[in-house]
Amino acid sequence: MTRTTGVPDVTDADFTTQVLQSPIPVLVQFTAVWCGPCRMLKPVLADIAREQTGRLKVVQIDVDANQQTTHRYTVLATPTLMVFRDGEPVLSTVGAKPKARLLRELADVLD
């Protein structure tokens, strides 16, 4: 998977500890190497990760290499963005979005 600066990878093995048990909300990008729109989101997610440090953790998970988590959350398209808070998904959206629109969608989760 192509790395996004400031956005660590998670896997099936550490999804519970890195995402579900996080003390702050976590934005997870379900992504794939072959996903063009996922590449378009890279700078947006890197900016959000940097700007929201301490309020929102941003991670990515490769759907091809981590099918257990992908199936558990019924991810059918990439990029799927899900926000988890207190171990539960609280927001799910599909597709690349401009930063301002994504921040508007995240506003309720960040308050």
Side-chain angles (χ1 to χ4, degrees), residues 9-58:
D9 297 331
V10 295
T11 66
D12 286 343
D14 65 1
F15 192 85
T16 296
T17 56
Q18 293 297 316
V19 176
L20 302 182
Q21 295 175 352
S22 175
I24 62 173
V26 182
L27 171 62
V28 179
Q29 179 191 22
F30 289 84
T31 187
V33 173
W34 44 263
C35 173
C38 298
R39 287 190 293 276
M40 291 171 42
L41 266 177
K42 288 173 70 152
V44 170
L45 295 179
D47 283 351
I48 291 172
R50 186 178 59 258
E51 293 168 6
Q52 300 298 326
T53 299
R55 292 183 68 205
L56 179 71
K57 181 177 179 180
V58 181

